[in-house]
Amino acid sequence: MLQTLYDYFWWERLWLPVNLTWADLEDRDGRVYAKASDLYITLPLALLFLIIRYFFELYVATPLAALLNVKEKTRLRAPPNPTLEHFYMTSGKQPKQVEVELLSRRSGLSGRQVERWFRRRRNQDRPSLLKKFREASWRFTFYLIAFIAGMAVIVDKPWFYDMRKVWEGYPIQSTIPSQYWYYMIELSFYWSLLFSIASDVKRKDFKEQIIHHVTTIILISFSWLANYIRAGTLIMALHDSSDYLLESAKMFNYAGWKNTCNNIFIVFAIVFIITRLVILPFWILHCTLVYPLELYPAFFGYYFFNSMMGVLQLLHIFWAYLILRMAHKFITGKLVEDERSDREETESSEGEEAATGGGAKSRPLANGHPILNNNHRKND
């Protein structure tokens, strides 16, 4: 049965156009073609990325945070209370009013003291400013290097200027070392993001981030196996073109550089809209949807690849909506917050007096694609 599933999975009609077989993509005459075994290296490379990230955050990002004067806000810790801690860990982090009253009787605290304890306890679990700065620094470094490397890989290729050439000779298109390493490094990085997503800073678009990472991994892997490599390199470079701007804006946000952060965000928003909502659907998607049909009848791989591209495009529209809504409020001078951010609660958030001069307003910048606000010092 396993052999039957294996044979069906690698059936040529799923992966290749009609009248073509895997034998047509065997290495010969010095020409090398993409193979499934090439992807095995991405998992150990992903683990290597996690190791490199650890040392980068420790020896590069942390000193950089100190240089930029990234200061951590002092958080009041919730005093030890076994009754409230047990409820927090087993039943929920935000008790309802009925539950507050019940916990008040069990713990001997007033209802307001119970609410204060839960606010402080939730704040303890929120990531520190330094953690967020280090994460943004790592991603900024990778995306910037990846964008430069990606442009170096494709800028001298004829299909960068004429997208019909993406399909010239498809699928019998040999690969070159620069394409191989570009693919393996990008795929390994996204595997590493998926492996670390549970420990990374979480925002309200956590599910969308998982969908994005999984879709990206599937797209990169499938495009390699089906020899959609020329289109794949264009798509990866296009995405990297705005991501490093986002991460740099977040870094300056955490450092409290308000004007620099806002200016970079404006540039990011422009680049994001142009690349994700104009170039991607009207050039890249047109290239992958229309031009292949001029050469071969549609096959499963054609439908699957473009379906995954459709999922990615829907995520771009979702993030672009948040960016445009933020940009509108930003231009009109209204106070803006990131609806996806996990805001740190102050002692005065429920009408209470701050214990240590709290109550400072926050200015979030979210992961994935941000919404800023006009203040600059607190949590996102």
Side-chain angles (χ1 to χ4, degrees), residues 253 258 261-262 265 326 329-330 334-338 343 361-366 370-380:
N253 177 63
K258 176 181 176 180
C261 172
N262 289 343
F265 170 77
M326 171 269 158
K329 294 180 180 179
F330 178 77
K334 296 179 181 179
L335 183 67
V336 180
E337 291 181 352
D338 185 355
R343 292 187 58 204
K361 295 178 182 178
S362 68
R363 180 205 207 222
L365 180 61
I371 307 294
L372 306 176
N373 91 24
N374 293 332
N375 300 298
H376 71 279
R377 199 27 105 173
K378 229 165 110 175
N379 192 25
D380 73 328

Side-chain angles (χ1 to χ4, degrees), residues 300-317:
F300 173 80
Y302 166 87
Y303 291 117
F304 182 79
F305 181 84
N306 286 294
S307 296
M308 291 295 99
M309 287 293 294
V311 172
L312 207 57
Q313 188 61 50
L314 289 175
L315 289 172
H316 295 157
I317 294 171

Side-chain angles (χ1 to χ4, degrees), residues 42-43 46 186-196 217 221:
T42 60
L43 294 179
E186 284 274 357
L187 182 55
S188 301
F189 180 74
Y190 279 100
W191 273 120
S192 73
L193 290 184
L194 194 62
F195 293 158
S196 65
I217 289 170
S221 301

